[in-house]
Amino acid sequence: MPVRSIRRWKSVALTVSAVLVGLTAPALTASPAAATTTSYDSTYYKNAVGKTGTSLKSSLHTIISSQTKISYSAVWNALKVTDQDPNNSSNVILLYSGVSRSKSLNGGDVGDWNREHVWAKSHGDFGEVTGPGTDLHHLRPADVTVNSIRGNLDFDNGGSAVSGGGGSLKDSDSFEPRDADKGDVARMILYMAVRYDGGDGFADLEPNEQVNNGSNPYIGKLSVLKEWNDEDPPSAFEENRNQVIYDTYQHNRNPFIDHPEWVDAIW
């Protein structure tokens, strides 16, 4: 795993006396994602470092679009490696629930795990085709039942507890992952938005501020995803996953795991 030198800062909360009667202080928000340097900055990311906005997004698209694509059937075995439980090599860690489950229980029955498209495959109608439908940077093992409950819902805060979802919530038009997966989900969604821009025969995937996006090539809500990226920084598990995909399978990286601050630099 590359050496990461991370400089994290925390915003300082200042208490200011209200001058006007009835003035209320704004709600505190998550601190911005940490500024980060990686061993890939002078090589893999050299044409992106120092840029912002559309220029950064365009540069990252060019960089990460150079990848090896795998078939949908090959995703099964790949996930057994990328999402291996670091404490039990016979198991994988499931997205949303956080459960450690046997690698052999991949399938479609209750109690099995299957392949969750974090960017729902109906949002842009790319299905399971090689390309966005098989991109490991947004495919994760998930409990069959929890995966079905999430369906193709957009991401937002709020709802009722999902049975077996590890603290995830759901309402009629959105899904909220458990806290430990919120940043992961945000960075996977935003990777897809940069990687698939409509120039390679697939839909131009973009985050927006809506829910109920249906089959349109959008997923919301962007403002919430940005908050999740700040609140839940990349974990060792997520960083290792990014490295395995780069080294062994697709040979491209999710730049928002390496540089979570690039989310705010673009959006």
Side-chain angles (χ1 to χ4, degrees):
M1 185 179 298
V3 175
R4 295 167 53 87
S5 173
I6 303 175
R7 306 187 308 274
R8 302 205 180 272
W9 68 82
K10 299 286 186 180
S11 60
V12 179
L14 299 177
T15 303
V16 181
S17 298
V19 175
L20 300 176
V21 175
L23 183 65
T24 57
L28 294 176
T29 57
S31 300
T36 306
T37 58
T38 82
S39 58
Y40 289 101
D41 289 356
S42 61
T43 53
Y44 188 74
Y45 293 124
K46 65 181 180 180
N47 292 327
V49 170
K51 296 180 179 179
T52 61
T54 56
S55 179
L56 174 58
K57 185 180 181 185
S58 177
S59 293
L60 291 176
H61 169 74
T62 299
I63 292 167
I64 66 178
S65 292
S66 178
Q67 71 180 97
T68 299
K69 299 179 178 68
I70 67 173
S71 69
Y72 196 52
S73 60
V75 168
W76 284 120
N77 285 331
L79 292 180
K80 295 177 183 179
V81 179
T82 60
D83 290 75
Q84 179 174 292
D85 183 344
N87 298 314
N88 185 344
S89 61
S90 297
N91 288 10
V92 290
I93 300 293
L94 305 187
L95 187 68
Y96 305 139
S97 65
V99 169
S100 178
R101 185 165 297 171
S102 173
K103 292 178 179 178
S104 65
L105 290 176
N106 62 296
D109 297 328
V110 173
D112 287 345
W113 61 269
N114 58 5
R115 297 160 291 186
E116 157 70 333
H117 293 77
V118 177
W119 185 294
K121 57 189 177 183
S122 62
H123 289 233
D125 195 29
F126 53 75
E128 298 165 0
V129 67
T130 300
T134 67
D135 197 312
L136 290 170
H137 283 298
H138 87 116
L139 288 165
R140 297 285 290 268
D143 175 80
V144 166
T145 302
V146 175
N147 192 352
S148 177
I149 291 171
R150 187 265 158 145
N152 70 345
L153 292 172
D154 292 82
F155 294 104
D156 196 4
N157 291 316
S160 302
V162 173
S163 178
S168 300
L169 305 175
K170 171 191 176 293
D171 59 23
S172 62
D173 57 20
S174 68
F175 189 89
E176 178 183 345
R178 68 188 184 117
D179 288 348
D181 287 334
K182 285 179 176 176
D184 304 52
V185 165
R187 288 179 284 274
M188 286 186 278
I189 291 294
L190 298 177
Y191 161 88
M192 292 291 282
V194 172
R195 170 60 185 87
Y196 300 98
D197 68 350
D200 50 5
F202 300 110
D204 182 2
L205 306 183
E206 289 293 338
N208 65 10
E209 279 300 307
Q210 300 178 21
V211 292
N212 281 328
N213 277 297
S215 62
N216 295 311
Y218 311 117
I219 281 185
K221 288 183 174 179
L222 174 59
S223 59
V224 173
L225 295 171
K226 290 174 64 178
E227 290 173 1
W228 292 353
N229 175 60
D230 292 338
E231 293 168 356
D232 175 33
S235 64
F237 182 87
E238 192 180 358
E239 291 171 350
N240 180 70
R241 188 176 196 278
N242 195 30
Q243 193 66 37
V244 171
I245 292 172
Y246 177 74
D247 288 338
T248 307
Y249 296 102
Q250 296 183 181
H251 310 296
N252 72 339
R253 304 182 67 81
N254 181 335
F256 304 116
I257 296 174
D258 293 322
H259 283 278
E261 76 277 10
W262 280 349
V263 170
D264 287 322
I266 294 175
W267 288 281

